[in-house]
Amino acid sequence: MARKKLIFSVSDSEIFDAYMSAPIHFSENALLEEGRRRSIIYSKYENAEALARKLSRQVFGYRELQPIEQYFSQLGRGAKTSSIKIDTPVQVDELRSVIEELATSPERTEDITSYVDGVDIVVNAAYTETDFSKNRLRQRQQKEAKVRFEIAVDSVTVTSPATSKGRDLVKAVINRLEERRKAVLNVEEVDLSGIRDSFLRTLFFTKLCSGLPNATLNDVVRVKLQSTNKGTSDGDEADEEDEEEDINLDIGVTKTEEVVAGVLRAAALNGQDLFGTSVFQELREKGFYLTSVTWRSRLQEPGNPIVEFNADFEDSENCRMFTYTANTWKIRRTTGEYNESFTSIPADKKADLLKMLHRFALSTMHEVAKEQASSSQSPAKANGGDSEPN
């Protein structure tokens, strides 16, 4: 007799774990409301754990499980963005033909669709992601990777989620274009792997957050640091202790990243010599450089909204795989005062901000590369100087 395939099952403990893993969303009020929908009256004096345990023992069908699954499927939709620029003319018909081939390819497991949005082509790949390290109710999540091809006269800018699926989809399209043309496309992306100097790597981020076009730096919230000496220890306890001491640059400072964020903000806003400060001098001597910056800029437009940006390298050691976000902003009330909290940026405005940030990141990368070239050609600069890389 043929064995029936088990489609889906879930236990009481798995539903309980799902409720307890998101206490803000599945709050006491939310769980009480779920009880009312089931025509059950629970005491308002019971805590969330007791309510979650009692609810998890009820009968759950598809309709009852759907709200839980939908919530967890929405997590991570504010993913970071990644972009590349193809410095080669590509015709719309050629690109659409390649995408259609990809969508019908038996090698692809996603449900790939595409449509034209103005002068852009948008490709959407719907897929199921499985993570066995999570609660079984959360292991399978329905996700999508939306890739936009912005076609210009002499180039194509490709924007995708900074996920493995997004990058894989972009790579698949580029590979098919190269196969058709029997030539390698010239692809440009924000990448500092060829710049090893810690000074110049930090300079990239300071220019990025302080010089964003049509915006004024308001605050630097967080930074992340990386040492050029990472991985040079032999792995013994003494070396590990030395590495920990390298992080604490000043006596009594336990959160160096917060200190660096404060110094960066002060230098940018007050016009100080950032690299002349004691904190950055110590960073430079120890081989540290910035790999991630989260900052807030006030846009020079009606209302002057304050936008929170982030830019970083996923591969922090080599400064590769550049990602960026602009998810939230703080806008003014009708009285002219700013709201107390940050809210989501409308999709159209967010798209414009991300385009601006990517273009500026590319131009900033070129500026830093020019500084590296000029410093390597100048013996005087290469041998030292307070404001030039060693």
Side-chain angles (χ1 to χ4, degrees), residues 274-299:
L274 174 67
F275 295 98
T277 62
S278 60
V279 171
F280 271 88
Q281 286 295 327
E282 290 184 63
L283 281 172
R284 184 178 172 187
E285 290 173 3
K286 294 178 182 294
F288 282 90
Y289 55 90
L290 298 183
T291 62
S292 172
V293 176
T294 301
W295 76 96
R296 293 168 181 169
S297 292
R298 182 180 284 105
L299 302 184

Tab-separated table of all heavy atoms in Angstrom, residues 274-299:
chain	number	residue	atom	x	y	z
A	274	LEU	N	38.614	65.019	11.947
A	274	LEU	CA	38.244	63.724	12.511
A	274	LEU	C	39.456	62.845	12.776
A	274	LEU	O	39.601	62.263	13.850
A	274	LEU	CB	37.277	63.011	11.556
A	274	LEU	CG	36.899	61.572	11.917
A	274	LEU	CD1	36.088	61.553	13.189
A	274	LEU	CD2	36.136	60.916	10.784
A	275	PHE	N	40.366	62.762	11.799
A	275	PHE	CA	41.492	61.846	11.927
A	275	PHE	C	42.589	62.395	12.835
A	275	PHE	O	43.571	61.716	13.096
A	275	PHE	CB	42.040	61.510	10.538
A	275	PHE	CG	41.049	60.759	9.697
A	275	PHE	CD1	40.264	61.413	8.767
A	275	PHE	CD2	40.880	59.405	9.860
A	275	PHE	CE1	39.343	60.731	8.003
A	275	PHE	CE2	39.955	58.709	9.097
A	275	PHE	CZ	39.184	59.374	8.169
A	276	GLY	N	42.383	63.617	13.308
A	276	GLY	CA	43.331	64.171	14.258
A	276	GLY	C	42.932	63.920	15.698
A	276	GLY	O	43.702	64.186	16.615
A	277	THR	N	41.716	63.390	15.929
A	277	THR	CA	41.268	63.122	17.290
A	277	THR	C	42.020	61.933	17.871
A	277	THR	O	42.493	61.055	17.144
A	277	THR	CB	39.763	62.840	17.309
A	277	THR	OG1	39.502	61.668	16.527
A	277	THR	CG2	38.971	64.010	16.758
A	278	SER	N	42.095	61.892	19.193
A	278	SER	CA	42.849	60.829	19.858
A	278	SER	C	42.236	59.461	19.602
A	278	SER	O	42.955	58.462	19.432
A	278	SER	CB	42.899	61.096	21.366
A	278	SER	OG	41.590	61.139	21.920
A	279	VAL	N	40.899	59.394	19.550
A	279	VAL	CA	40.243	58.103	19.344
A	279	VAL	C	40.631	57.531	17.980
A	279	VAL	O	41.019	56.370	17.863
A	279	VAL	CB	38.716	58.243	19.457
A	279	VAL	CG1	38.025	56.950	19.020
A	279	VAL	CG2	38.318	58.586	20.875
A	280	PHE	N	40.559	58.357	16.938
A	280	PHE	CA	40.869	57.847	15.604
A	280	PHE	C	42.369	57.629	15.407
A	280	PHE	O	42.772	56.786	14.608
A	280	PHE	CB	40.298	58.781	14.534
A	280	PHE	CG	38.900	58.427	14.143
A	280	PHE	CD1	37.826	58.940	14.834
A	280	PHE	CD2	38.660	57.539	13.113
A	280	PHE	CE1	36.530	58.605	14.490
A	280	PHE	CE2	37.367	57.193	12.752
A	280	PHE	CZ	36.305	57.729	13.446
A	281	GLN	N	43.196	58.382	16.111
A	281	GLN	CA	44.634	58.122	16.058
A	281	GLN	C	44.938	56.741	16.635
A	281	GLN	O	45.745	55.986	16.071
A	281	GLN	CB	45.400	59.209	16.819
A	281	GLN	CG	45.479	60.539	16.090
A	281	GLN	CD	46.278	60.427	14.792
A	281	GLN	OE1	47.219	59.653	14.689
A	281	GLN	NE2	45.877	61.202	13.794
A	282	GLU	N	44.276	56.407	17.752
A	282	GLU	CA	44.484	55.089	18.348
A	282	GLU	C	43.923	53.987	17.451
A	282	GLU	O	44.520	52.913	17.326
A	282	GLU	CB	43.831	55.039	19.724
A	282	GLU	CG	44.541	55.894	20.769
A	282	GLU	CD	43.907	55.733	22.138
A	282	GLU	OE1	43.953	54.604	22.661
A	282	GLU	OE2	43.372	56.717	22.660
A	283	LEU	N	42.768	54.253	16.855
A	283	LEU	CA	42.204	53.289	15.921
A	283	LEU	C	43.174	53.009	14.776
A	283	LEU	O	43.407	51.863	14.393
A	283	LEU	CB	40.886	53.821	15.346
A	283	LEU	CG	39.631	53.704	16.206
A	283	LEU	CD1	38.489	54.460	15.557
A	283	LEU	CD2	39.248	52.250	16.415
A	284	ARG	N	43.735	54.076	14.257
A	284	ARG	CA	44.632	53.948	13.118
A	284	ARG	C	45.902	53.186	13.497
A	284	ARG	O	46.368	52.318	12.751
A	284	ARG	CB	44.978	55.342	12.611
A	284	ARG	CG	45.839	55.352	11.369
A	284	ARG	CD	46.087	56.786	10.936
A	284	ARG	NE	47.055	56.842	9.863
A	284	ARG	CZ	47.557	57.960	9.387
A	284	ARG	NH1	47.189	59.110	9.906
A	284	ARG	NH2	48.427	57.949	8.401
A	285	GLU	N	46.440	53.492	14.654
A	285	GLU	CA	47.662	52.821	15.104
A	285	GLU	C	47.432	51.330	15.308
A	285	GLU	O	48.313	50.512	15.046
A	285	GLU	CB	48.155	53.455	16.397
A	285	GLU	CG	48.704	54.874	16.215
A	285	GLU	CD	49.020	55.528	17.541
A	285	GLU	OE1	48.859	54.857	18.582
A	285	GLU	OE2	49.422	56.709	17.545
A	286	LYS	N	46.237	50.966	15.774
A	286	LYS	CA	45.943	49.565	16.041
A	286	LYS	C	45.385	48.834	14.815
A	286	LYS	O	45.078	47.648	14.870
A	286	LYS	CB	44.954	49.462	17.209
A	286	LYS	CG	45.522	49.951	18.540
A	286	LYS	CD	44.472	49.876	19.635
A	286	LYS	CE	45.019	50.398	20.959
A	286	LYS	NZ	46.091	49.544	21.482
A	287	GLY	N	45.212	49.572	13.700
A	287	GLY	CA	44.765	48.935	12.467
A	287	GLY	C	43.268	48.771	12.360
A	287	GLY	O	42.791	47.946	11.572
A	288	PHE	N	42.491	49.526	13.135
A	288	PHE	CA	41.035	49.432	13.044
A	288	PHE	C	40.494	50.344	11.950
A	288	PHE	O	41.065	51.391	11.657
A	288	PHE	CB	40.395	49.827	14.385
A	288	PHE	CG	40.452	48.747	15.423
A	288	PHE	CD1	41.527	48.665	16.288
A	288	PHE	CD2	39.429	47.815	15.534
A	288	PHE	CE1	41.585	47.669	17.257
A	288	PHE	CE2	39.476	46.826	16.483
A	288	PHE	CZ	40.559	46.741	17.353
A	289	TYR	N	39.373	49.945	11.378
A	289	TYR	CA	38.688	50.775	10.395
A	289	TYR	C	37.187	50.526	10.510
A	289	TYR	O	36.741	49.495	11.028
A	289	TYR	CB	39.170	50.467	8.974
A	289	TYR	CG	39.062	49.014	8.575
A	289	TYR	CD1	37.910	48.518	7.963
A	289	TYR	CD2	40.119	48.125	8.802
A	289	TYR	CE1	37.806	47.191	7.596
A	289	TYR	CE2	40.021	46.791	8.439
A	289	TYR	CZ	38.869	46.328	7.846
A	289	TYR	OH	38.764	45.010	7.490
A	290	LEU	N	36.394	51.485	10.034
A	290	LEU	CA	34.948	51.350	10.065
A	290	LEU	C	34.483	50.388	8.981
A	290	LEU	O	34.999	50.386	7.870
A	290	LEU	CB	34.282	52.703	9.853
A	290	LEU	CG	34.552	53.800	10.899
A	290	LEU	CD1	33.753	55.042	10.556
A	290	LEU	CD2	34.191	53.325	12.289
A	291	THR	N	33.494	49.563	9.301
A	291	THR	CA	32.895	48.666	8.309
A	291	THR	C	31.386	48.866	8.213
A	291	THR	O	30.753	48.304	7.328
A	291	THR	CB	33.161	47.197	8.657
A	291	THR	OG1	32.552	46.897	9.930
A	291	THR	CG2	34.656	46.920	8.735
A	292	SER	N	30.825	49.648	9.130
A	292	SER	CA	29.383	49.872	9.117
A	292	SER	C	29.073	51.170	9.841
A	292	SER	O	29.677	51.454	10.881
A	292	SER	CB	28.651	48.710	9.795
A	292	SER	OG	27.273	49.001	9.944
A	293	VAL	N	28.166	51.953	9.292
A	293	VAL	CA	27.735	53.205	9.917
A	293	VAL	C	26.222	53.325	9.799
A	293	VAL	O	25.660	53.108	8.716
A	293	VAL	CB	28.395	54.442	9.273
A	293	VAL	CG1	27.841	55.721	9.890
A	293	VAL	CG2	29.904	54.407	9.437
A	294	THR	N	25.569	53.626	10.899
A	294	THR	CA	24.152	53.978	10.900
A	294	THR	C	24.052	55.436	11.309
A	294	THR	O	24.546	55.808	12.373
A	294	THR	CB	23.356	53.105	11.882
A	294	THR	OG1	23.503	51.719	11.522
A	294	THR	CG2	21.876	53.475	11.870
A	295	TRP	N	23.449	56.249	10.454
A	295	TRP	CA	23.402	57.680	10.730
A	295	TRP	C	22.043	58.255	10.335
A	295	TRP	O	21.256	57.610	9.634
A	295	TRP	CB	24.524	58.403	9.989
A	295	TRP	CG	24.301	58.606	8.514
A	295	TRP	CD1	23.809	59.710	7.884
A	295	TRP	CD2	24.566	57.654	7.462
A	295	TRP	NE1	23.758	59.524	6.521
A	295	TRP	CE2	24.206	58.273	6.238
A	295	TRP	CE3	25.062	56.353	7.443
A	295	TRP	CZ2	24.342	57.622	5.017
A	295	TRP	CZ3	25.182	55.700	6.232
A	295	TRP	CH2	24.839	56.340	5.041
A	296	ARG	N	21.798	59.465	10.793
A	296	ARG	CA	20.549	60.158	10.475
A	296	ARG	C	20.874	61.488	9.803
A	296	ARG	O	21.700	62.248	10.305
A	296	ARG	CB	19.722	60.389	11.741
A	296	ARG	CG	19.212	59.084	12.347
A	296	ARG	CD	18.645	59.267	13.733
A	296	ARG	NE	18.193	57.987	14.285
A	296	ARG	CZ	17.844	57.806	15.554
A	296	ARG	NH1	17.867	58.827	16.403
A	296	ARG	NH2	17.454	56.607	15.971
A	297	SER	N	20.206	61.723	8.680
A	297	SER	CA	20.415	62.952	7.922
A	297	SER	C	19.096	63.693	7.765
A	297	SER	O	18.043	63.073	7.567
A	297	SER	CB	20.995	62.642	6.534
A	297	SER	OG	22.315	62.140	6.634
A	298	ARG	N	19.196	65.029	7.831
A	298	ARG	CA	18.024	65.882	7.608
A	298	ARG	C	17.990	66.274	6.139
A	298	ARG	O	18.922	66.904	5.639
A	298	ARG	CB	18.076	67.108	8.507
A	298	ARG	CG	16.863	68.027	8.362
A	298	ARG	CD	16.946	69.241	9.260
A	298	ARG	NE	16.645	68.909	10.644
A	298	ARG	CZ	17.538	68.805	11.626
A	298	ARG	NH1	18.827	69.028	11.354
A	298	ARG	NH2	17.183	68.504	12.851
A	299	LEU	N	16.939	65.868	5.438
A	299	LEU	CA	16.837	66.150	4.018
A	299	LEU	C	16.552	67.621	3.769
A	299	LEU	O	15.778	68.252	4.492
A	299	LEU	CB	15.727	65.303	3.387
A	299	LEU	CG	15.850	63.781	3.516
A	299	LEU	CD1	14.729	63.096	2.746
A	299	LEU	CD2	17.215	63.284	3.040
